[in-house]
Amino acid sequence: MENIALKQLMDGKITSEMVDELVSVTESVISIVPDTNTQKQKQGLPSLRSFIVKLIDYTNVYTATLIMTLCYLRRLQDKLPPHATGLPSTQHRIFLSCLILSAKNHNDSSPLNKHWTKYTDGLF
């Protein structure tokens, strides 16, 4: 019975709840400390949720790849010190790097770096 449920999850559509979980886990990996010097950098930076949604749309990523991305995010969270902080774009970069690793690990053919740049609208 568990195998059937897992197969349905892996083959299913990406839901809003899945995106919410991706955002929540990514935000819990590292906290962002607002800094007046980084306010200029934050301009033009999309919300983490809209960034993730756009990447999912652009890449046509499979649910299984996103589940693997969650695993990488949780592993990173376990490795980072609890007091670690980052710039406003750090959470975006962390999600992107975990997604790239998942895509490369999960798929025989994954996007090239120039494609990832296009998927992020040149942000990274």
Side-chain angles (χ1 to χ4, degrees):
M1 189 65 122
E2 289 177 14
N3 290 338
I4 294 170
L6 184 58
K7 179 152 178 44
Q8 287 176 337
L9 174 64
M10 300 292 246
D11 294 339
K13 293 183 83 172
I14 298 166
T15 65
S16 178
E17 291 79 15
M18 288 180 191
V19 174
D20 290 342
E21 183 67 11
L22 288 164
V23 171
S24 175
V25 172
T26 303
E27 288 176 338
S28 70
V29 170
I30 191 166
S31 61
I32 302 304
V33 176
D35 182 10
T36 56
N37 294 334
T38 59
Q39 287 304 98
K40 189 174 184 179
Q41 178 191 358
K42 193 171 181 177
Q43 293 173 349
L45 187 68
S47 72
L48 183 59
R49 186 179 198 350
S50 64
F51 179 75
I52 290 173
V53 167
K54 187 179 279 191
L55 274 175
I56 290 170
D57 288 343
Y58 279 175
T59 60
N60 239 355
V61 69
Y62 295 110
T63 304
T65 305
L66 290 178
I67 292 171
M68 189 178 291
T69 301
L70 277 172
C71 292
Y72 284 140
L73 287 165
R74 291 195 187 278
R75 285 181 183 179
L76 181 58
Q77 183 179 24
D78 290 342
K79 298 288 183 191
L80 286 176
H83 59 277
T85 58
L87 300 171
S89 65
T90 301
Q91 292 173 341
H92 296 69
R93 292 172 189 270
I94 285 175
F95 178 80
L96 178 62
S97 61
C98 289
L99 180 62
I100 290 171
L101 287 172
S102 299
K104 288 184 180 288
N105 189 24
H106 191 255
N107 303 309
D108 290 335
S109 176
S110 63
L112 300 172
N113 289 342
K114 67 180 180 180
H115 296 125
W116 289 108
T117 300
K118 180 181 173 188
Y119 299 152
T120 64
D121 294 329
L123 190 59
F124 302 113

